[in-house]
Amino acid sequence: MAAGFRSNIFDPLLVSAQIVAMQCCFYVFLGLWLVLADMIGGVHASLDQIFDYHEFQGTYDGWLVMGAVVLNGFTCSLALWWIVRRAKQCLDFTVTVYLMHLAVCVTYGGFPRSWVWWLTNLVSLAVTAILGEYLCIRSELSAIPVGSSSAGTT
């Protein structure tokens, strides 16, 4: 095996850049899902939908927010597959993103005391981690072409 292939050298700059990229994707995708849900539901958009746990209620508006958060898990798994590309690191990056989101939510609106907020975010975390890991495993296990059929012809 080549010395540079999948080396285990710790690169803090790469890891930091991947964390920032994942966090940006998390909020961009969540914002897009919320805008779409708000347009469909005719609800006024606000930052509270992203950061305040009081928005997670059994009302129509709350269901839209919860749906957007769960759908965000699917799009974040695609970002995880595109940015991280390592099945072994999917859970680490997913938990990091959601812990940072928790920290921002605590700063913005206080510690989430709603079991619905916790359940919704745990479901979204699980979707992100499992689907992201599945996509990364499929990429890692894809066939590596050894030779090219066009290499011998000129």
Side-chain angles (χ1 to χ4, degrees):
M1 193 178 330
F5 181 75
R6 298 277 189 200
S7 62
N8 290 329
I9 299 171
F10 177 65
D11 186 1
L13 186 60
L14 174 65
V15 172
S16 299
Q18 287 174 321
I19 289 171
V20 169
M22 280 302 301
Q23 202 70 41
C24 289
C25 287
F26 176 83
Y27 286 120
V28 167
F29 290 145
L30 181 56
L32 291 174
W33 282 116
L34 284 170
V35 166
L36 181 65
D38 291 344
M39 286 177 14
I40 291 170
V43 179
H44 180 67
S46 75
L47 281 178
D48 288 349
Q49 292 177 317
I50 297 174
F51 300 119
D52 194 358
Y53 71 93
H54 291 102
E55 294 290 322
F56 289 77
Q57 302 172 9
T59 63
Y60 179 69
D61 300 351
W63 283 104
L64 288 175
V65 173
M66 288 183 266
V69 169
V70 171
L71 288 172
N72 191 43
F74 288 97
T75 50
C76 281
S77 65
L78 293 172
L80 194 65
W81 171 60
W82 189 68
I83 293 169
V84 177
R85 296 189 181 263
R86 297 287 308 268
K88 189 171 138 180
Q89 296 174 336
C90 284
L91 183 61
D92 298 338
F93 277 92
T94 302
V95 170
T96 301
V97 165
Y98 280 87
L99 282 176
M100 291 175 77
H101 177 61
L102 173 63
V104 173
C105 289
V106 167
T107 304
Y108 184 85
F111 189 79
R113 293 182 186 96
S114 168
W115 65 270
V116 178
W117 185 92
W118 286 101
L119 181 65
T120 305
N121 279 284
L122 284 174
V123 167
S124 182
L125 184 146
V127 166
T128 303
I130 293 169
L131 187 57
E133 191 167 329
Y134 172 76
L135 292 170
C136 289
I137 286 174
R138 281 188 51 133
S139 293
E140 288 176 357
L141 295 179
S142 64
I144 300 172
V146 177
S148 176
S149 60
S150 62
T153 61
T154 53

